[in-house]
Amino acid sequence: MGAVVIVDALWGDSGKGKVCAHLAVRDKAPLAVRAGVGTNAGASVTLDDGTLVRARQLPTGWINPGTTVAVGSGVLVDPAVLAGEVARFGLAGRVLVDGRCALIEPGHVEAERADAHLAATVGSTCTGNGAARADFVLRRARQARDEPALAPYVTDVARHVNDVARDGLVLVEGSQGALLSLAFSDEYPYTTSGNCTAAAAMDDVGMNWRLVQDVLMVVKALPTRVGEGPLPYELPEEEVLRRGIAEYGVVTGRPRRKAGRLDRDLLGYAAMLNGPTQIALTFCDHVDPAMRGSRDAAAITAPVRELIEQVEHDTGAPVVLLDTGPGLSDMIDLR
């Protein structure tokens, strides 16, 4: 079948985790693999029984019982965070970690928390990711294969990803957003410590591009941003609260700054960088509350249909998924 690479068009927090979980359940994917920088970005999914699950290290594909989850070699691993998620979600026997992943150590976290530039100017999550990546680049970081506690999980994830993709579906879950990319953002230093494009996600997990079936770019109907940096069409906090569309970061709990509309030029730029073949349009109920909880295409309202047409025009790719509410099943699948 091949791989589906899931990436965020803008500044993250778009619901990539929910999209990955939906595809894992609906398409019975045998493998989901995490790309991205590391534990500095999280995903949250509200299950149909109302349970809220949050993850920082593992992809959310584990929500499907038949899906194995993995961490690609380009992703930083915090052994304590990984162990917590394996225990909390009951994933023993279903987790793989590439032995070449660099480790986030306590000293990396301490160094970032003591760095006023990162904490105050950049608005970093201070979870040790930048410091660990710097050590990796300088070739002095420890790797997953050096940590005895990780021995049960360690394998060659790149080989496994490509082997599975030849006959089955692999979901590659990216993190953060394309406009936070270290090398592609015009907003430096208000970026993350790596790139967050489709090509970067493939590189993070060692995916052969010939095995990529689709690039699914997630577009948040009303974009958000956590931390510093510009946000076009930003709404005043009181307006966000009045409309009942306030959000908070998974990792830090900080309020997400929210825009009142999409910046079409930036969306087009993100499409140029990522080359999407499909679009997931998320948080549609924030555009029109009448969409909340809708699960059938017949329920698509005029404002959302107009937005779909605009996004398809600006990205050159069809909208195939519509996220309509907090629940995992609050999704309209147009495929």
Side-chain angles (χ1 to χ4, degrees):
M1 288 182 67
V4 175
V5 181
I6 304 166
V7 292
D8 183 299
L10 301 170
W11 298 281
D13 303 318
S14 63
K16 294 182 298 299
K18 178 179 176 178
V19 169
C20 181
H22 170 82
L23 294 179
V25 172
R26 177 66 70 89
D27 298 343
K28 298 179 173 59
L31 178 65
V33 58
R34 175 73 144 72
V37 171
T39 59
N40 57 339
S44 62
V45 179
T46 301
L47 305 182
D48 290 335
D49 64 2
T51 302
L52 177 65
V53 295
R54 300 176 184 270
R56 293 168 51 195
Q57 185 74 82
L58 297 171
T60 57
W62 64 264
I63 289 173
N64 177 51
T67 301
T68 296
V69 291
V71 182
S73 62
V75 181
L76 299 164
V77 170
D78 185 320
V81 174
L82 178 73
E85 292 183 7
V86 171
R88 190 161 67 252
F89 305 141
L91 299 181
R94 292 176 56 195
V95 175
L96 304 173
V97 173
D98 198 293
R100 295 161 292 196
C101 292
L103 297 182
I104 299 171
E105 313 253 26
H108 294 131
V109 179
E110 293 167 9
E112 290 194 357
R113 289 177 177 171
D115 189 320
H117 172 70
L118 286 176
T121 303
V122 176
S124 168
T125 61
C126 293
T127 47
N129 284 258
R133 182 166 288 275
D135 272 356
F136 196 23
V137 171
L138 292 171
R139 278 85 78 196
R140 61 190 182 200
R142 288 202 309 140
Q143 293 177 286
R145 58 190 169 192
D146 302 321
E147 175 54 60
L150 297 179
Y153 314 114
V154 167
T155 190
D156 185 335
V157 167
R159 183 179 296 279
H160 189 64
V161 162
N162 286 284
D163 284 347
V164 173
R166 288 187 178 90
D167 300 307
L169 175 63
V170 174
L171 302 175
V172 180
E173 182 186 312
S175 71
Q176 298 178 285
L179 296 188
L180 293 175
S181 292
L182 182 66
F184 294 114
S185 175
D186 289 329
E187 301 164 3
Y188 182 90
Y190 307 112
T191 68
T192 189
S193 52
N195 290 333
C196 307
T197 60
M202 286 182 255
D203 191 50
D204 286 337
V205 305
M207 173 60 68
N208 183 330
W209 69 269
R210 292 179 183 273
L211 295 174
V212 174
Q213 168 185 305
D214 283 297
V215 171
L216 178 58
M217 191 168 77
V218 183
V219 178
K220 194 171 190 176
L222 299 182
T224 54
R225 184 165 191 164
V226 173
E228 304 305 316
L231 177 63
Y233 309 111
E234 184 171 357
L235 293 172
E237 184 180 3
E238 56 270 22
E239 174 66 9
V240 173
L241 294 171
R242 186 191 68 79
R243 292 168 61 175
I245 54 175
E247 301 174 48
Y248 301 89
V250 173
V251 175
T252 64
R254 291 180 294 185
R256 292 173 179 165
R257 299 154 54 204
K258 199 166 189 77
R261 52 171 286 195
L262 282 164
D263 185 302
R264 300 183 67 174
D265 289 337
L266 289 179
L267 181 58
Y269 192 78
M272 178 198 73
L273 289 176
N274 287 295
T277 59
Q278 298 178 330
I279 301 293
L281 186 60
T282 58
F283 290 81
C284 292
D285 54 314
H286 286 193
V287 172
D288 186 351
M291 286 291 297
R292 182 171 289 262
S294 298
R295 301 178 183 181
D296 190 287
I300 301 174
T301 63
V304 172
R305 193 169 296 282
E306 181 179 345
L307 181 60
I308 291 170
E309 293 174 358
Q310 173 191 312
V311 168
E312 289 184 334
H313 176 272
D314 294 343
T315 63
V319 171
V320 299
L321 296 175
L322 294 175
D323 163 50
T324 63
L328 179 59
S329 294
D330 295 337
M331 186 81 75
I332 300 174
D333 195 324
L334 300 173
R335 293 178 298 162

